[in-house]
Amino acid sequence: MHALEIIMPIIVLGLAFALKLFIDRTASLPDAISSTLELPVDITFLAISLIVGFTIAPSGETKVGLAWFAFYVLGVIFIVFIWRRSIKCFETNSHKTAFFLGALNYLISITAIVHSIKLVTEVASGTL
């Protein structure tokens, strides 16, 4: 992967994170932690957007893209469930459980975004 393929999604995610956290409110530590626990949902939706681009691209594999799209939609439901549980654990002072669930969510969502970037760049380079 080229640096631009990683940097641009990071900028999009960082911008979304910062805008949600700081625009028209004073960010507190609990707000920052809640936003950090929510970020995997945003990462996964970005990955889904890339999968959509892969699917509708003229050189894309429509059937493969639709299969990945369905898989990612199911995955984001799972990620939202884990995110909600991690917030609930954080609010009830189960910080270790909240951290574990957040880390699990980051692992899943980062894997999804890396995979979706690879799919899109393989189509763009003609290696798929």
Side-chain angles (χ1 to χ4, degrees):
M1 276 193 230
H2 295 84
L4 197 57
E5 296 164 359
I6 299 297
I7 292 171
M8 288 187 73
I10 289 172
I11 290 171
V12 169
L13 291 167
L15 185 60
F17 178 80
L19 292 175
K20 287 195 301 187
L21 188 60
F22 296 113
I23 297 296
D24 199 29
R25 74 178 193 182
T26 304
S28 64
L29 183 59
D31 291 336
I33 292 171
S34 293
S35 293
T36 302
L37 290 171
E38 182 183 3
L39 190 56
V41 176
D42 296 333
I43 293 170
T44 307
F45 274 106
L46 177 58
I48 289 172
S49 299
L50 293 173
I51 293 295
V52 168
F54 167 80
T55 304
I56 64 175
S59 58
E61 296 280 334
T62 304
K63 288 183 180 181
V64 172
L66 288 172
W68 280 115
F69 178 76
F71 180 72
Y72 276 42
V73 168
L74 291 174
V76 79
I77 292 168
F78 183 68
I79 285 172
V80 167
F81 177 78
I82 294 173
W83 161 54
R84 298 281 188 192
R85 291 293 171 150
S86 65
I87 292 292
K88 203 176 283 188
C89 289
F90 175 71
E91 289 172 349
T92 59
N93 292 324
S94 299
H95 298 295
K96 288 182 182 179
T97 304
F99 175 80
F100 172 76
L101 292 172
L104 176 63
N105 248 0
Y106 272 97
L107 177 66
I108 296 168
S109 64
I110 289 171
T111 301
I113 191 73
V114 168
H115 176 260
S116 64
I117 290 170
K118 283 183 181 181
L119 281 176
V120 170
T121 55
E122 287 173 356
V123 164
S125 67
T127 59
L128 184 66

